[in-house]
Amino acid sequence: MFVLRLTVGAAAHLTEDEAYYRLWSMAPAFGYYDHPPMIAWWIWSGRRLLGDTPLGVRIGPIVACALATALIFDLARLAGADRRAAARAGVWYNAMLLIALG
């Protein structure tokens, strides 16, 4: 899923919201009228690492989703699930509509 998200993230055009958040990242602040500042800081960091490209704008949320998947796997293991069930928990997380469309 991580590789697929990287591929699509690099190839797809920015949505209206992403372009709007990109504008915020031009001069990150500690807060915005209707959103907390994290997305602007992630985009700012991604643009510094990968340039002002669609992947540069999206790399923060893509990495965060991969980390969340790993944490879900680990939490399932800590809760007593075997490796197969823990992997299934990660797959189900990625299958949720809002996560899958990310």
Side-chain angles (χ1 to χ4, degrees):
M1 286 304 295
F2 181 71
V3 172
L4 178 63
R5 281 191 176 96
L6 285 175
T7 304
V8 172
H13 295 288
L14 294 178
T15 65
E16 291 176 8
D17 283 346
E18 289 171 324
Y20 184 51
Y21 300 153
R22 182 192 158 275
L23 289 176
W24 291 356
S25 76
M26 299 293 186
F30 288 108
Y32 301 92
Y33 177 69
D34 59 348
H35 281 77
M38 184 172 63
I39 191 65
W41 286 99
W42 278 3
I43 293 171
W44 179 85
S45 299
R47 288 178 50 241
R48 295 294 172 267
L49 288 172
L50 301 174
D52 195 12
T53 63
L55 186 58
V57 170
R58 294 180 176 128
I59 193 68
I62 290 171
V63 169
C65 189
L67 290 174
T69 302
L71 287 172
I72 287 169
F73 175 83
D74 190 45
L75 285 171
R77 294 284 292 152
L78 289 172
D82 62 5
R83 289 185 64 80
R84 187 172 175 189
R88 195 167 42 245
V91 168
W92 279 112
Y93 169 72
N94 282 281
M96 290 189 305
L97 185 59
L98 288 176
I99 300 302
L101 296 176

